[in-house]
Amino acid sequence: MTSTVSTRLAPRRAGASHQPADLRADLLRELGDDALAEDVLARWDRWGDDLLDAAAEVYADPTLTPRLVHQIAMAHRARSESLRERDRARLLRPDWFQSAEQVGYAAYTERFAGSLPRAIEHIAYLQDLGVTYLHLMPLLQTRPGPDDGGYAVSDYDEVRSDLGTMDDLEELSSRLHCAGISLTLDLVLNHVAREHRWAQAARSGDVHYRDYFWTFSDREMPDAFERTLTEVFPQTSPGNFTWDPQLHRWVWTTFNSYQWDLNWSNPDVLCEFLQIILNLANRGVDCLRLDAIAFLWKRMGTNCQNQPEVHAITQLLRAAVRIAAPALVFKAEAIVPPSEVVSYFGRGKYAGRLSDLAYHNSFMVQIWSALATRDARLMAVAMSHMSQVPTTTAWATYLRCHDDIGWAIEDRDCETLGWNGWAHRNFLCDFYTNQVESSFADGTVFEENPITHDRRINGTAASLCGVGRDDQPLAVDRLLCAYTMVMGLGGVPLIFMGDEIALCNDRDYANDPNHADDNRWIHRPLMPWEVANEHGDFSGHRVYDRLRHLIEVRKSQESLHASVGTEVHSTSVDAVVCFVRHHPAGDMTQVYNVADHAVSVPAWEIDQYAPGAVLDALSGQTLVAQDGMYELAPYAALWLVRESA
Ligand code: OTU
């Protein structure tokens, strides 16, 4: 044997107490008589190195990998026949979530249906709209009192008692599956409620559990960390540390003071979460939204976001899931600068090994910015600065979600246009809270930072578009133009509950003592079924029908598959932007006019991207040039393809 070959064959982690070969044997033994043991082993051979490399990168504990192997084997053994079937189907179609047929819908169970069993009654409604992916907002057991909209979990093994039980969850997921709809749930993994049993044990003096958290006896370390940390809720929960009188220590609390950040450098925390993930997978969950994933790893001297260990941990968990429950995918919720967000799909050695989906926060912000300025150039600049994402992943595109909108716009992108970044962000905030003449919106301010004066905003998509205002006859066209962009980028478009019927702001939230302190509830209205069941809406413009048509067309366009990216180009008309998609199934040029007035664009500027593509798949009409110009109505949105396509 030559030395080159022997090097290649040498164990990759020399020195580790458990060699990959031992672990493989452990896995085989622990799988016992599992009928699919060979399949699991094949997946270990495919993904095991991802798990081992990542474990070695973050954790020094030699007992960790055998524990993980044990968890994987046990979870697979407990997996039901129908979910094993689902694993097989997804392995044969690993791009299932990238397909143009995917359309998502996000809702709070209690606002949408009241409870999990009652949600079953509304599956037909989702099917009619064309939904294939349902994200139910956090529904595991939370602390009593304010719970940050469910993001303060006190028990990961139970469903919130007002919503139902774990069995109800399982029943719902299997009913959804029968209807061709996958289920996404939140995995709140940066923090737990201080009422969670781990925090309770820590508070009563158990040092094993105290190590699950970041706690400090005095202000020295907290003060040192604070120097480079930012504040998420500067008004309602200032600072990142909270004094706990029972623990008699400072606890790291990035979000609300009742949400204790977990110490992910502790391998026990990792194992706890792998178990939670595998349990949810075995209940039939198809996708986990990794909440606030950017914050997982703390490092002195940084803002404690986007640290490389976050990616290694994601790789480890993702690999474990690929082996034990491959029907499950991950969606990263990293609301971080555009230059950072792409790293959640994996860059460099992590490429394609991390989350399958990630929220496209930057695109969302750019849509609102373009509508406010009636100018789409900044969107083209920002989108062209974003790096390519792995071809096996997909963006989750959206116009609104349950959170506020923070103006994640980079200074350098503004500078390209000679704009000042700070001034532009400030303008957007004024605009969407209706403080400038040109505003069409009806939003409110969220959490103004008293030091930086940074402001974020709230409001439903419809209210931010001007639905409900007598002086805004084009509000619905604006809303649909924006949703057409969301549906057109490629990836999984997410409809936030109520947008399909143009639901406006709900000022009643202030009457609920658990919501009154958090004005994000203004855009989390109750579903008015008497209106929705009629497919009616508050605008009088049949938004539901128009959106359903848009969805139908989207599903017919194979070229919207997320494996190819979208080029975003500006034109000589500031308000007109082109989305260009090159796909073997057929090219598509999308044209949008973000202004509330008609415009003319030189025809060649659009034709250059896909000559001969003049059929608008959305209206079924052919685009005809007049004197070399295309005339575009206010908020025109066209998906141009070739006639034959
Ligand atoms: C996420 O939010 C959730 O979406 C929020 O609803 C929760 O309050 C929060 O986590 C805590 O669980 O951390 O990575 O601007 O965008 O808090 C992004 C506020 C997050 C949210 C931010 C976000």
Side-chain angles (χ1 to χ4, degrees):
M1 204 184 276
T2 69
S3 63
T4 342
V5 173
S6 64
T7 314
R8 197 154 52 83
L9 291 181
R12 293 175 57 180
R13 271 151 297 271
S17 55
H18 288 267
Q19 300 300 344
D22 302 339
L23 290 168
R24 193 179 191 279
D26 286 356
L27 182 60
L28 181 60
R29 195 183 52 253
E30 303 224 35
L31 282 165
D33 60 357
D34 190 307
L36 296 181
E38 266 183 44
D39 293 26
V40 181
L41 274 190
R43 299 201 292 262
W44 170 266
D45 292 339
R46 171 67 181 87
W47 300 107
D49 279 347
D50 274 16
L51 182 145
L52 299 177
D53 290 345
E57 195 173 324
V58 184
Y59 301 103
D61 179 357
T63 69
L64 176 63
T65 50
R67 282 160 76 190
L68 298 173
V69 163
H70 174 73
Q71 288 181 284
I72 290 171
M74 291 305 126
H76 192 270
R77 290 180 62 163
R79 200 151 168 81
S80 72
E81 217 31 72
S82 60
L83 290 174
R84 288 163 176 235
E85 199 58 58
R86 209 162 170 77
D87 288 337
R88 198 171 311 130
R90 295 249 163 104
L91 287 166
L92 287 170
R93 201 177 170 186
D95 64 336
W96 66 272
F97 62 89
Q98 296 182 291
S99 140
E101 285 172 28
Q102 290 296 319
V103 174
Y105 191 89
Y108 285 91
T109 309
E110 70 274 26
R111 314 297 279 174
F112 178 67
S115 68
L116 290 174
R118 297 211 53 195
I120 293 174
E121 295 164 24
H122 300 295
I123 292 178
Y125 173 83
L126 297 174
Q127 270 183 302
D128 180 79
L129 185 58
V131 170
T132 61
Y133 163 118
L134 175 64
H135 170 203
L136 289 178
M137 300 301 297
L139 47 70
L140 298 180
Q141 189 60 60
T142 51
R143 68 190 297 273
D147 64 9
D148 190 25
Y151 289 99
V153 180
S154 60
D155 187 348
Y156 290 81
D157 296 325
E158 292 298 339
V159 166
R160 242 171 65 191
S161 43
D162 58 316
L163 300 180
T165 63
M166 273 292 179
D167 289 342
D168 294 333
L169 179 66
E170 212 168 319
E171 175 67 15
L172 175 66
S173 81
S174 77
R175 296 290 195 100
L176 287 167
H177 292 170
C178 291
I181 301 174
S182 61
L183 177 64
T184 296
L185 292 190
D186 280 84
L187 183 73
V188 187
L189 75 179
N190 176 69
H191 43 264
V192 297
R194 72 163 166 243
E195 288 75 11
H196 189 282
R197 67 183 167 80
W198 305 333
Q200 288 306 320
R203 294 175 103 192
S204 49
D206 185 330
V207 286
H208 172 77
Y209 285 106
R210 196 174 83 187
D211 281 349
Y212 276 37
F213 302 97
W214 292 99
T215 71
F216 309 94
S217 57
D218 59 35
R219 281 298 305 185
E220 192 189 333
M221 294 291 278
D223 286 342
F225 275 114
E226 284 287 13
R227 264 172 233 133
T228 51
L229 289 173
T230 53
E231 288 180 289
V232 181
F233 300 135
Q235 281 182 350
T236 50
S237 190
N240 288 279
F241 301 88
T242 303
W243 175 255
D244 187 83
Q246 205 181 331
L247 190 67
H248 217 73
R249 291 171 79 85
W250 291 94
V251 184
W252 200 309
T253 54
T254 301
F255 296 90
N256 291 292
S257 53
Y258 53 75
Q259 288 162 306
W260 286 22
D261 285 42
L262 287 156
N263 172 9
W264 276 85
S265 71
N266 180 345
D268 292 337
V269 169
L270 175 89
C271 292
E272 298 272 14
F273 270 88
L274 178 59
Q275 201 52 52
I276 292 166
I277 291 170
L278 295 173
N279 291 348
L280 290 172
N282 280 355
R283 294 284 183 175
V285 175
D286 298 279
C287 173
L288 286 172
R289 171 191 180 275
L290 308 180
D291 178 60
I293 177 83
F295 294 85
L296 235 53
W297 197 267
K298 323 294 187 196
R299 175 167 283 118
M300 183 63 79
T302 71
N303 64 356
C304 298
Q305 291 185 51
N306 314 312
Q307 298 302 309
E309 289 82 355
V310 173
H311 303 313
I313 291 168
T314 310
Q315 174 173 312
L316 191 163
L317 295 172
R318 186 73 192 92
V321 165
R322 283 183 147 129
I323 298 164
L328 181 74
V329 298
F330 282 179
K331 175 173 64 168
E333 192 255 349
I335 309 305
V336 298
S339 52
E340 293 283 1
V341 69
V342 288
S343 65
Y344 289 82
F345 290 117
R347 297 191 61 73
K349 66 179 174 181
Y350 302 119
R353 297 182 156 84
L354 308 185
S355 287
D356 307 271
L357 294 153
Y359 283 89
H360 206 323
N361 179 63
S362 169
F363 182 50
M364 181 272 290
V365 165
Q366 291 298 337
I367 295 174
W368 291 112
S369 166
L371 292 173
T373 54
R374 284 82 165 167
D375 183 340
R377 289 175 302 158
L378 185 65
M379 172 190 280
V381 171
M383 296 292 283
S384 66
H385 279 168
M386 286 192 80
S387 319
Q388 184 67 48
V389 303
T391 56
T392 51
T393 62
W395 287 110
T397 59
Y398 63 114
L399 185 62
R400 283 302 284 116
C401 70
H402 69 291
D403 276 331
D404 53 288
I405 302 177
W407 301 109
I409 289 178
E410 307 232 37
D411 288 342
R412 61 158 195 174
D413 292 341
C414 289
E415 280 153 20
T416 314
L417 299 174
W419 300 1
N420 174 287
W422 187 86
H424 183 54
R425 291 187 290 271
N426 205 42
F427 162 76
L428 290 172
C429 205
D430 287 343
F431 186 95
Y432 282 106
T433 52
N434 195 20
Q435 293 176 62
V436 293
E437 189 68 41
S438 60
S439 175
F440 46 71
D442 181 24
T444 59
V445 174
F446 177 70
E447 296 276 346
E448 174 160 3
N449 186 315
I451 299 156
T452 62
H453 294 291
D454 180 49
R455 286 173 297 161
R456 293 176 270 160
I457 66 115
N458 288 322
T460 68
S463 288
L464 295 179
C465 282
V467 174
R469 275 178 58 162
D470 293 340
D471 62 342
Q472 293 302 323
L474 294 175
V476 163
D477 298 309
R478 193 177 284 134
L479 177 65
L480 282 153
C481 176
Y483 258 107
T484 311
M485 291 185 176
V486 167
M487 295 275 169
L489 195 79
V492 182
L494 304 176
I495 300 164
F496 190 68
M497 188 207 86
D499 288 356
E500 77 277 22
I501 53 167
L503 268 191
C504 291
N505 289 341
D506 171 18
R507 309 247 167 206
D508 286 345
Y509 78 91
N511 300 326
D512 181 333
N514 287 335
H515 296 167
D517 280 350
D518 187 344
N519 60 356
R520 287 178 294 179
W521 284 97
I522 202 168
H523 52 244
R524 301 167 181 175
L526 277 167
M527 189 66 161
W529 284 108
E530 66 293 352
V531 178
N533 280 331
E534 299 301 312
H535 299 170
D537 64 63
F538 297 96
S539 70
H541 287 84
R542 310 291 303 173
V543 175
Y544 182 96
D545 293 340
R546 291 169 69 179
L547 194 65
R548 183 169 57 174
H549 170 71
L550 171 61
I551 290 170
E552 222 169 82
V553 175
R554 175 185 148 95
K555 292 186 181 207
S556 71
Q557 300 296 315
E558 196 189 335
S559 69
L560 285 173
H561 190 284
S563 55
V564 305
T566 300
E567 296 166 17
V568 180
H569 297 285
S570 49
T571 65
S572 60
V573 180
D574 293 351
V576 177
V577 65
C578 293
F579 289 9
V580 179
R581 295 186 50 83
H582 296 294
H583 189 284
D587 293 348
M588 185 189 280
T589 307
Q590 304 173 10
V591 184
Y592 301 98
N593 172 16
V594 299
D596 41 6
H597 50 82
V599 295
S600 311
V601 199
W604 70 266
E605 289 193 44
I606 290 167
D607 295 343
Q608 63 179 333
Y609 298 119
V614 288
L615 177 72
D616 173 21
L618 291 167
S619 64
Q621 311 219 311
T622 308
L623 186 64
V624 182
Q626 300 275 325
D627 301 325
M629 304 290 277
Y630 288 134
E631 189 72 32
L632 300 176
Y635 300 116
L638 313 171
W639 286 0
L640 301 176
V641 294
R642 282 178 199 280
E643 303 271 1
S644 59

